[in-house]
Amino acid sequence: MIEKILLAVAGRGLCEEMFNMLMDIPSLQQTSVTVLHVVPPQVTSDGMADKLEEGGKILAKAVQSLKIDPSKVNPRLKQGDPKTTVCQVAEEEKSDLVIMGSRGFGRLQSILENSVSQYVFQLTSRPMLLVKDDIYVKKIKRVMVAIDKSESAKQYLDLAISLVKDVSGGQIILVHVTKDLTGKSTEDLTASAEKDPVLAPAIATAKKMGISYRCVSATGKPGETICRLTDELNADLLVIGSPDRRPSVAKSFVDLDRLLGNSLSDYVRVYANCPVLLARTIG
């Protein structure tokens, strides 16, 4: 359940829009939020003072734009490296969800451009909701969830269901994509998808809870297929599992391979044309 949200703001306004859309979801209306703006180090003390003043205005504007009881808002203005500071605050606050903006860079460009969202995506153990600069934030009614055979898939499904179960007109879109080594792409949006053994437990859960659902069994390149289906099925939000790839003995280290990433969640966060919730298991 999402009870504590960390909203990292940078003055562009998209994350605030996304948060306000989430506040229309009945199950999230008791949520508290920490609104964070991080001011990076400056060369001079005067420069730092100016940036802090500017940061205070960005933070105040963000807080004022939120559709939530002010008593549930914790504004925080921090100095430091934005990448590591967001991760640190997420752990301090024990956040159930981190919301961040993303410029949608590919993996290598993210490194070259010193992308904050890419760093946090790879290093935090917290679930993340990424909102790209070039997408249109909509009311959340259709939530797509990518289902696989993993043990954690049920948790991602439960999260998706919690977002739509009390939403008027809400629907969950259950998607299972099997990689096809022939390079061909096929899918079935009708009866046989109901018989997909990977989707069957998720379908049974949706039926039991009385939630409107649609199911898709597809074969193709998973990342490309999922991104295409978000467009074709007009998904407002995509929920996908994103494993914590850091070895337990090396969580304090950053290496290029890990930051570059090479996974389904890496692909989807860049190319999906809707907000992406990268779900993780918090121990």
Side-chain angles (χ1 to χ4, degrees):
M1 180 177 292
I2 298 174
E3 297 179 344
K4 297 180 180 179
I5 292 177
L6 174 61
L7 182 65
V9 299
R12 298 196 292 274
L14 270 179
C15 291
E16 296 91 317
E17 286 184 40
M18 186 75 251
F19 178 85
N20 286 334
M21 293 301 181
L22 290 175
M23 288 303 99
D24 285 338
I25 297 174
S27 64
L28 297 183
Q29 289 176 357
Q30 300 304 311
T31 300
S32 62
V33 59
T34 293
V35 186
L36 174 68
H37 179 70
V38 184
V39 178
Q42 303 297 309
V43 175
T44 66
S45 58
D46 287 344
M48 191 73 242
D50 290 342
K51 283 294 183 181
L52 284 170
E53 181 180 359
E54 178 185 347
K57 292 177 180 178
I58 290 173
L59 185 61
K61 183 178 180 181
V63 169
Q64 291 171 3
S65 71
L66 301 183
K67 297 177 181 178
I68 187 174
D69 181 345
S71 68
K72 296 179 180 178
V73 180
N74 174 30
R76 295 188 66 174
L77 181 65
K78 299 275 288 183
Q79 295 176 243
D81 184 335
K83 301 189 299 295
T84 56
T85 302
V86 172
C87 292
Q88 290 168 359
V89 173
E91 293 303 315
E92 288 172 10
E93 301 280 351
K94 295 181 172 57
S95 303
D96 301 313
L97 179 66
V98 178
I99 302 177
M100 290 192 70
S102 169
R103 289 172 288 177
F105 290 150
R107 295 187 293 271
L108 180 57
Q109 190 180 5
S110 291
I111 301 300
L112 298 177
E113 296 285 344
N114 199 27
S115 168
V116 176
S117 62
Q118 169 69 356
Y119 183 100
V120 176
F121 162 66
Q122 290 292 338
L123 272 295
T124 188
S125 61
R126 303 284 162 175
M128 285 187 69
L129 175 50
L130 290 175
V131 188
K132 288 197 301 182
D133 287 352
D134 59 352
I135 69 167
Y136 175 66
V137 177
K138 300 179 289 184
K139 285 189 177 296
I140 297 173
K141 290 183 176 292
R142 293 170 297 277
V143 176
M144 178 183 289
V145 57
I147 302 291
D148 57 24
K149 297 178 181 179
S150 68
E151 293 183 3
S152 53
K154 184 179 183 302
Q155 180 176 344
Y156 309 151
L157 173 64
D158 289 345
L159 175 59
I161 286 176
S162 73
L163 296 176
V164 300
K165 63 180 181 179
D166 296 319
V167 173
S168 177
Q171 181 183 60
I172 191 166
I173 304 170
L174 307 168
V175 175
H176 175 224
V177 180
T178 303
K179 188 174 182 180
D180 181 12
L181 299 179
T182 68
K184 297 179 181 179
S185 179
T186 59
E187 64 192 57
D188 189 343
L189 306 182
T190 55
S192 66
E194 297 264 355
K195 301 176 183 178
D196 184 328
V198 174
L199 291 179
I203 293 170
T205 299
K207 287 181 176 179
K208 182 179 179 181
M209 300 191 69
I211 295 173
S212 173
Y213 73 91
R214 183 172 185 177
C215 55
V216 180
S217 291
T219 302
K221 294 181 179 179
E224 293 180 7
T225 304
I226 289 172
C227 289
R228 175 174 57 80
L229 288 171
T230 61
D231 286 339
E232 292 179 0
L233 302 178
N234 199 22
D236 303 318
L237 177 69
L238 170 63
V239 177
I240 189 166
S242 178
D244 182 353
R245 290 183 287 277
R246 300 170 300 161
S248 59
V249 297
K251 288 191 175 182
S252 61
F253 296 93
V254 180
D255 62 72
L256 185 61
D257 288 341
R258 195 160 289 112
L259 280 175
L260 285 173
N262 189 26
S263 69
L264 173 61
S265 53
D266 282 289
Y267 184 94
V268 168
R269 70 163 184 89
V270 175
Y271 295 107
N273 289 321
C274 68
V276 178
L277 200 167
L278 301 155
R280 283 173 170 147
T281 301
I282 299 178

